[in-house]
């Protein structure tokens, strides 16, 4: 199963909101994926094995995994476009 990792250094509430929004958005489109929310500072990428990472805040993940900028979940503008970018990486 493909996995979307939402990694954030901001509040737990923002992380939960983004994770829930992405999960709902993808499920409504018939896309079965696992959506996981983790601290950007503590996540162990080898354990999660994400298909794509949605980052809310600065990161140093490198280029091993595709990364989508998740700042839209802070501003609440462009969240659908962010989810469309995730879909692109899941295809």
């Amino acid at each position: 199963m493909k996995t979307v990792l939402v990694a954030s250094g901001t509040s737990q509430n923002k992380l939960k909101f983004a994770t829930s929004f992405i999960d709902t958005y993808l499920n409504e489109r018939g896309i079965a994926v696992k959506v996981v929310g983790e601290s950007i500072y503590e996540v162990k990428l080898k354990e999660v094995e994400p298909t794509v990472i949605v980052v809310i805040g600065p990161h140093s993940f490198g280029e091993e995994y595709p990364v989508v900028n998740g700042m839209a979940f802070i501003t609440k503008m462009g969240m659908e476009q962010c989810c469309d970018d995730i879909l692109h990486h899941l295809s």
Side-chain angles (χ1 to χ4, degrees):
M1 176 177 276
K2 295 182 179 184
T3 302
V4 176
L5 169 63
V6 182
S8 174
T10 61
S11 75
Q12 282 296 109
N13 289 336
K14 298 248 188 247
L15 181 60
K16 287 179 186 178
F17 172 76
T19 303
S20 175
F21 186 94
I22 292 166
D23 188 50
T24 299
Y25 187 92
L26 296 176
N27 280 320
E28 287 176 350
R29 283 147 185 83
I31 309 298
V33 297
K34 180 179 176 183
V35 181
V36 178
E38 296 285 340
S39 165
I40 202 165
Y41 305 111
E42 298 172 2
V43 65
K44 293 176 176 59
L45 294 177
K46 296 295 182 194
E47 290 178 15
V48 177
E49 295 184 14
T51 308
V52 60
I53 303 171
V54 178
V55 176
I56 303 172
H59 72 90
S60 59
F61 290 134
E63 296 180 12
E64 184 175 352
Y65 302 97
V67 175
V68 173
N69 184 335
M71 292 303 288
F73 294 102
I74 292 178
T75 64
K76 301 225 172 36
M77 296 178 355
M79 295 184 299
E80 291 82 5
Q81 179 59 51
C82 182
C83 288
D84 289 341
D85 291 346
I86 295 166
L87 279 171
H88 170 77
H89 291 290
L90 293 173
S91 326

